[in-house]
Amino acid sequence: MGSYYDIDAILTDAQKLPCTFELDVPGLGFIDGNAGGDMKKGSQVSLPLWLGGYLAIQPIGPSPIVNLDLPASLSPRVLNALKADPKTVDLRAQAAHFYELAARTLDLFEEDEIVDVLSETFKKRASEIADHAHNAQGALGEGVDFLRGLDEMERQLFRAAHESSKMMRLWMGELKKKG
């Protein structure tokens, strides 16, 4: 997690995760649209990551208050698409802060396969991002759809690589003038 004032961390923690209550909780029905009622065992609701994560690790007796499920952005359908061709998946449509959400979620789950898929996805997409950042024609032409689908971390990577390329061209131009 980033600093207390990191807006990306705040937005990531606000993402909703599907949860199932493992026990009855009096007076908590308002979360499920039942004002003044109780939250019944087995009720399924979507809670912000920060709240769902806290309730999942705080047991009352032998079981946790809630069991978390993986978010839709880490569903088998999305993971299979990432395995097939990570460059074609619109990560921004899955979650604006896809990698941050995945990292925070996987802190709560033991899912080595998902970690492997996401690592490979990032490596393959990072090389494509670098290509687009260094080639202005690629960013304007066929790469537009790919660039629209970048999550926030990838967008920061693109901006850094683009700025680096621009500064390198400027430096090379200055060397040519001197030489």
Side-chain angles (χ1 to χ4, degrees):
M1 173 148 181
S3 84
Y4 179 78
Y5 298 106
D6 182 4
I7 191 68
D8 291 328
I10 293 168
L11 292 172
T12 299
D13 280 348
Q15 295 284 316
K16 302 254 179 158
L17 291 182
C19 304
T20 304
F21 275 80
E22 294 300 315
L23 45 94
D24 293 334
V25 182
L28 205 58
F30 67 89
I31 290 178
D32 200 20
N34 182 9
D38 299 339
M39 183 63 69
K40 300 290 184 194
K41 179 179 180 175
S43 297
Q44 295 182 340
V45 296
S46 290
L47 296 175
L49 175 60
W50 67 268
L51 179 59
Y54 180 75
L55 294 176
I57 61 172
Q58 294 299 318
I60 294 183
S63 66
I65 299 170
V66 299
N67 273 333
L68 294 176
D69 293 322
L70 288 170
S73 59
L74 295 176
S75 70
R77 180 185 59 81
V78 174
L79 294 173
N80 286 336
L82 289 172
K83 286 178 196 174
D85 188 2
K87 299 174 195 169
T88 62
V89 179
D90 183 349
L91 293 186
R92 190 165 198 77
Q94 301 304 318
H97 296 85
F98 179 80
Y99 290 109
E100 289 91 347
L101 175 62
R104 291 275 292 122
T105 302
L106 292 173
D107 283 343
L108 303 168
F109 292 91
E110 295 286 328
E111 295 286 343
D112 292 336
E113 180 187 355
I114 295 176
V115 171
D116 294 341
V117 169
L118 294 178
S119 294
E120 283 303 309
T121 295
F122 188 78
K123 289 176 194 174
K124 289 177 182 174
R125 289 175 65 98
S127 67
E128 187 79 9
I129 291 166
D131 287 345
H132 287 292
H134 294 292
N135 178 3
Q137 296 304 319
L140 298 174
E142 72 274 356
V144 171
D145 289 334
F146 175 72
L147 295 175
R148 275 193 200 118
L150 301 181
D151 91 318
E152 283 302 313
M153 181 186 298
E154 292 174 329
R155 286 177 180 221
Q156 290 172 4
L157 179 62
F158 175 81
R159 284 190 286 273
H162 181 71
E163 189 63 26
S164 168
S165 176
K166 192 166 74 173
M167 296 304 288
M168 180 66 122
R169 284 192 297 270
L170 181 66
W171 179 73
M172 293 297 288
E174 289 174 4
L175 282 179
K176 286 179 183 177
K177 287 179 186 176
K178 290 179 182 178

